[in-house]
Amino acid sequence: MRHTLRKITTALLGAVVLATATALPAAAAGSGNTTANFDLTGGTLDISVPAGPVTLATGAVTSSTLSGQLGSVTVTDNRSVDPASWTASVSATPFQNGTHTLAASYDTGVVTSTGIPISQWTITTPLTLSTTPQNPVVLNPTWPGGGDNTATWNPTITATIPAGAISGTYSSVVTHSVI
């Protein structure tokens, strides 16, 4: 009987060990997290300007001012960034004929846009294009919605004709930039 009891006890002990081994989860071997990304690239930020030379206006030396439109200037922002924001500026060399200069101003006129409501624009106009080069800000939109956008305007440049002005062609290089 002892022998039988020993077999039963050994069998029961083996069953308990087997049941315990299969009922308990294996010890955790550790865990780790991995950050995974997708990178999306946008397009470019560009500005297009009229090809020159552009004759803005013709008038008499006795006129007080002369005005003319430069032609369409367009900023195209295909960067798809949030917020959508950029700054367009203009600079000009003096309007000169030899040693004679004309003071001039720059007015954007109506700005049309896509992608950014016009209420979100800061438009500084008119600007003085003095007889020394400068780089004033023309347009500065900021739109928290982000995305692609465009802006187009046809600026008017007005020259002030001083008393005693001489006849001839007064030329300037007008430079638009966007960042």
Side-chain angles (χ1 to χ4, degrees), residues 94-168:
F95 281 86
Q96 254 180 317
N97 176 5
T99 59
H100 301 275
T101 61
L102 301 177
S105 65
Y106 178 104
D107 189 338
T108 59
V110 175
V111 177
T112 59
S113 75
T114 62
I116 299 177
I118 204 71
S119 63
Q120 300 300 312
W121 293 75
T122 301
I123 302 172
T124 308
T125 192
L127 300 168
T128 299
L129 297 176
S130 66
T131 56
T132 57
Q134 55 182 336
N135 200 29
V137 171
V138 176
L139 298 172
N140 182 240
T142 300
W143 180 241
D148 293 347
N149 60 86
T150 64
T152 301
W153 65 99
N154 187 354
T156 298
I157 296 179
T158 302
T160 302
I161 313 302
I166 64 163
S167 61

Side-chain angles (χ1 to χ4, degrees), residues 1-104:
M1 168 106 167
R2 246 184 192 191
H3 185 59
T4 307
L5 189 56
R6 194 181 295 179
K7 282 186 183 180
I8 293 174
T9 304
T10 304
L12 283 175
L13 184 60
V16 168
V17 169
L18 181 60
T20 302
T22 57
L24 294 178
S31 65
N33 297 326
T34 301
T35 300
N37 300 313
F38 288 106
D39 289 333
L40 299 177
T41 59
T44 58
L45 176 63
D46 299 300
I47 191 165
S48 61
V49 299
V54 173
T55 300
L56 296 170
T58 301
V61 294
T62 56
S63 302
S64 59
T65 61
L66 286 176
S67 294
Q69 289 190 299
L70 186 63
S72 291
V73 177
T74 300
V75 172
T76 304
D77 182 0
N78 289 324
R79 298 172 300 161
S80 298
V81 295
D82 185 6
S85 182
W86 46 265
T87 300
S89 36
V90 62
S91 63
T93 60
F95 281 86
Q96 254 180 317
N97 176 5
T99 59
H100 301 275
T101 61
L102 301 177

